[in-house]
Amino acid sequence: MSIEIGQNVPDFSATATGDATVTLSELRGKQVVVYFYPKASTPGCTTEGGDFRDNKAAFDAANTVILGVSRDGLRAQENFKAKEEFNFALIADTDETVCQLFDVIKLKKMYGKEHLGIDRSTFLIDADGKLAQEWRGVKVPGHVDEVLAAAKALNG
């Protein structure tokens, strides 16, 4: 099951950095970027998170909240956020609830072995809670610029 463009994104609550619980329905009235990354503190994930961090003011101006999600535990997420000075919440989706909701767990190959992992993906949810755009199998360079352009366009 995956959410189609234009459909309401089912509400979810998840544990996030800063001793917070993020609940999607509480963010109504703002656009929300939910980006999934495979593992905290790895090179591609660090670059992607840094790109979101460095563009946060522009996302704020576009009335858009940024949420990063991986299956890492809360301590790993807190360390990653602190080390990289991320200025947005990271969700510790250890039970894969949010991952399953967005259908981002895929069979991947690494060193010839297959394993289930997060397919780097980003979702833009409009202020009414509907899925406006999605990017799957994301390549990091230039990605955040694309997401920001889409958020600004959606904002009118």
Side-chain angles (χ1 to χ4, degrees), residues 17-94:
T17 49
D19 207 22
T21 298
V22 172
T23 302
L24 186 62
S25 59
E26 291 174 2
L27 299 173
R28 286 284 188 289
K30 290 188 178 291
Q31 298 172 168
V32 181
V33 166
V34 183
Y35 83 94
F36 292 85
Y37 57 95
K39 189 143 182 59
S41 302
T42 56
C45 301
T46 300
T47 301
E48 184 178 27
D51 289 348
F52 276 113
R53 175 197 62 218
D54 297 346
N55 284 282
K56 184 171 185 298
F59 278 102
D60 288 347
N63 191 36
T64 305
V65 175
I66 302 165
L67 298 173
V69 184
S70 77
R71 300 184 302 177
D72 294 292
L74 194 56
R75 175 174 283 162
Q77 295 290 48
E78 291 284 8
N79 291 344
F80 188 33
K81 181 177 178 175
K83 180 173 180 250
E84 301 303 330
E85 298 177 0
F86 291 155
N87 44 12
F88 51 86
L90 297 180
I91 291 174
D93 192 28
T94 52

